[in-house]
Amino acid sequence: STAAPACTESMTTQRPVTSGLAEYLSGTLALEDILYPTTVPGLTIVPSGTHVSNPAKLLRSDRMQQFLRLVEQRFKVVIIDSPAVLPVVDATLISNQVRGVLLLVAASETPTPAVQQCLDRLRHVNSPLIGAVLNKVRHVPSRHFYYGYGQYGEVPKRGKS
């Protein structure tokens, strides 16, 4: 599996990123070698690493389970960003090995049947689905209510007070 370039390119790490999870799972590197502290205090990333020919085999391995146990012991919160559910099996292979799964859905882009198919696949492998996040939502102003980051309430009336 490969990481979205934007993730590692937008993070400033304390040392150059040269390897990642693929190298750990294949047994060529230790956990310490793939942990990259960032300039954000308390934030460490593990990139996906080099492209491998059979990522499904690595994600089903005992080494993957070991990795999840080790990072869970070491860090307060662990977030795994996987590829989309439908095009590849990576997400379903990982999903039943974690404590909770959040499904991200792009508003106005992801067809409802595709969302249902994702949910079906996750349920089929007994994923602990804890919720969904609807992103890329277009803001549509309303006369009666306003919702934004940090505010909720009636919209002030325009004109003279």
Side-chain angles (χ1 to χ4, degrees):
S1 110
T2 58
C7 179
T8 53
E9 288 172 10
S10 64
M11 295 276 181
T12 304
T13 57
Q14 295 175 2
R15 62 188 171 89
V17 174
T18 58
S19 55
L21 185 60
E23 286 76 21
Y24 175 82
L25 295 179
S26 63
T28 59
L29 291 176
L31 180 63
E32 291 303 317
D33 298 324
I34 64 165
L35 297 176
Y36 293 89
T38 68
T39 53
V40 177
L43 180 64
T44 299
I45 64 168
V46 176
S48 61
T50 58
H51 181 74
V52 294
S53 60
N54 191 354
K57 182 178 179 182
L58 293 177
L59 294 173
R60 282 192 294 242
S61 70
D62 291 339
R63 192 107 163 129
M64 180 64 180
Q65 291 176 5
Q66 177 188 45
F67 168 78
L68 292 171
R69 280 194 308 273
L70 290 172
V71 294
E72 186 177 66
Q73 291 168 3
R74 183 173 179 143
F75 299 102
K76 193 174 193 176
V77 176
V78 177
I79 298 172
I80 298 172
D81 181 16
S82 75
V85 174
L86 294 182
V88 292
V89 299
D90 299 25
T92 52
L93 292 175
I94 297 168
S95 68
N96 61 4
Q97 298 182 57
V98 298
R99 289 186 179 202
V101 173
L102 276 174
L103 179 65
L104 271 65
V105 178
S108 301
E109 291 179 24
T110 310
T112 302
V115 174
Q116 187 59 54
Q117 191 176 3
C118 288
L119 292 170
D120 292 344
R121 285 187 185 184
L122 292 169
R123 287 183 185 123
H124 181 74
V125 296
N126 297 316
S127 300
L129 189 63
I130 58 175
V133 174
L134 188 63
N135 64 3
K136 299 182 181 180
V137 176
R138 195 172 59 105
H139 174 68
V140 178
S142 169
R143 291 180 346 143
H144 303 288
F145 292 96
Y146 171 77
Y147 174 76
Y149 292 102
Q151 292 184 351
Y152 183 76
E154 288 191 39
V155 175
K157 293 181 182 178
R158 293 187 179 181
K160 295 182 181 179
S161 306

